[in-house]
Amino acid sequence: MIATREGSTPMGKLTTYRDKRAGLRAHAAALKSTAMTEAKLAAKETRKQAREAHRVELAEAKKRAKLEGKNADRKAKREEKRAEKQNKLDRKAAKRDRKAEKVHAKEERKTIKREAKILAKDRKLAEKIDAAGRKHEYQLAEMELDKLKGTSWARTTCNVG
């Protein structure tokens, strides 16, 4: 084998500029091909990673939506319970108010009856007083007549005689 400046060749010939250029072109093409393949693989990997990230993002969004839905359901249940409890308290308060109103009305009727009895008693007493006053007037009138006649009032009223 004969050594050359560029290196040894398999055939032992000197490499020409054209050969060297062709080798470089082939090497560049091979590098380019390798680079293209690597770029294609990298792009493919990037797309795969993007799809995976998108899938993960969708799964997380789905989880969040599910969780938000559950939270909304819980919140709605709490509101429903709160409304039901308030409704129950309102019904109790209304019942208590009706009871109190009933008691108040009963007391009012008792008061009216009591006042009516007192008025009736007063009226009866007034009638008695009026009747007694008339009787007294009658007795006074009789006394006057007796005086005029000369008889004693004491004898006529006390039946002494």
Side-chain angles (χ1 to χ4, degrees), residues 12-30:
K13 292 182 181 175
L14 285 175
T15 55
T16 60
Y17 176 72
R18 193 176 286 166
D19 291 338
K20 190 172 183 182
R21 218 169 139 214
L24 285 173
R25 225 180 294 131
H27 183 66

Side-chain angles (χ1 to χ4, degrees), residues 131-149:
R134 275 188 257 130
K135 186 177 179 184
H136 183 67
E137 286 174 9
Y138 177 74
Q139 285 176 347
L140 285 175
E142 273 187 3
M143 257 177 43
E144 287 297 318
L145 281 174
D146 285 344
K147 278 186 188 175
L148 290 173
K149 290 181 185 176

Side-chain angles (χ1 to χ4, degrees), residues 18 26 36 60-61 75 78 82 89 97 138 149:
R18 193 176 286 166
M36 289 296 280
E60 287 175 356
K75 194 173 184 180
R78 276 196 301 265
R82 191 176 294 127
L89 289 173
D97 290 346
Y138 177 74
K149 290 181 185 176

